[in-house]
Amino acid sequence: MANQIKLRNASGKYSIRAAGAVLGESNNVIELSEDDLAPVLYVPRADLAMAFFDKTDTSTHCPHKGDASYYTLEAKSGPIKDAAWSYETPNEDMAAIAGHLAFNTSKVTVEEV
């Protein structure tokens, strides 16, 4: 594998917020570190208010993780396009992130509480 990708269970409890609303809290966050990029936190869908997320037509492909689908967050102040993404059927080595969402941190706040 050309990229160095590491998964680990993030310790602590995380709060996910956007547009003044709490979208969820989780003790089951996975941290994905890839090369020299900032770590990305993946939050289980079961810990999120998924009713506020609508799948978009946006998709991307990573040769190491697979195909990502994107979600718009339907906030009270209006839609936040492509606020989150998910590898719904990731490559075998990344199976742990299936059923999780990651967030565009310029649009959604994910922080340890």
Side-chain angles (χ1 to χ4, degrees):
M1 185 182 281
N3 284 9
Q4 181 63 31
I5 299 176
K6 294 180 183 176
L7 299 176
R8 73 170 187 89
N9 293 326
S11 61
K13 184 176 190 173
Y14 288 80
S15 175
I16 300 84
R17 299 185 323 276
V22 175
L23 304 169
E25 290 187 341
S26 182
N27 292 313
N28 299 304
V29 173
I30 296 173
E31 181 182 86
L32 183 148
S33 299
E34 184 173 3
D35 292 332
D36 294 329
L37 301 173
V40 176
L41 300 175
Y42 284 80
V43 180
R45 289 178 189 219
D47 294 342
L48 296 166
M50 289 303 296
F52 294 103
F53 293 93
D54 291 325
K55 194 171 184 179
T56 70
D57 292 334
T58 305
S59 65
T60 57
H61 177 77
C62 170
H64 308 290
K65 294 184 285 279
D67 295 320
S69 300
Y70 286 73
Y71 292 81
T72 290
L73 171 59
E74 298 298 338
K76 209 174 204 183
S77 58
I80 304 172
K81 184 167 174 51
D82 296 338
W85 69 89
S86 174
Y87 289 93
E88 296 174 15
T89 54
N91 294 342
E92 190 175 323
D93 292 346
M94 298 290 117
I97 62 173
H100 290 65
L101 290 184
F103 297 91
N104 179 330
T105 55
S106 69
K107 299 176 180 184
V108 177
T109 301
V110 180
E111 65 184 2
E112 191 171 4
V113 292

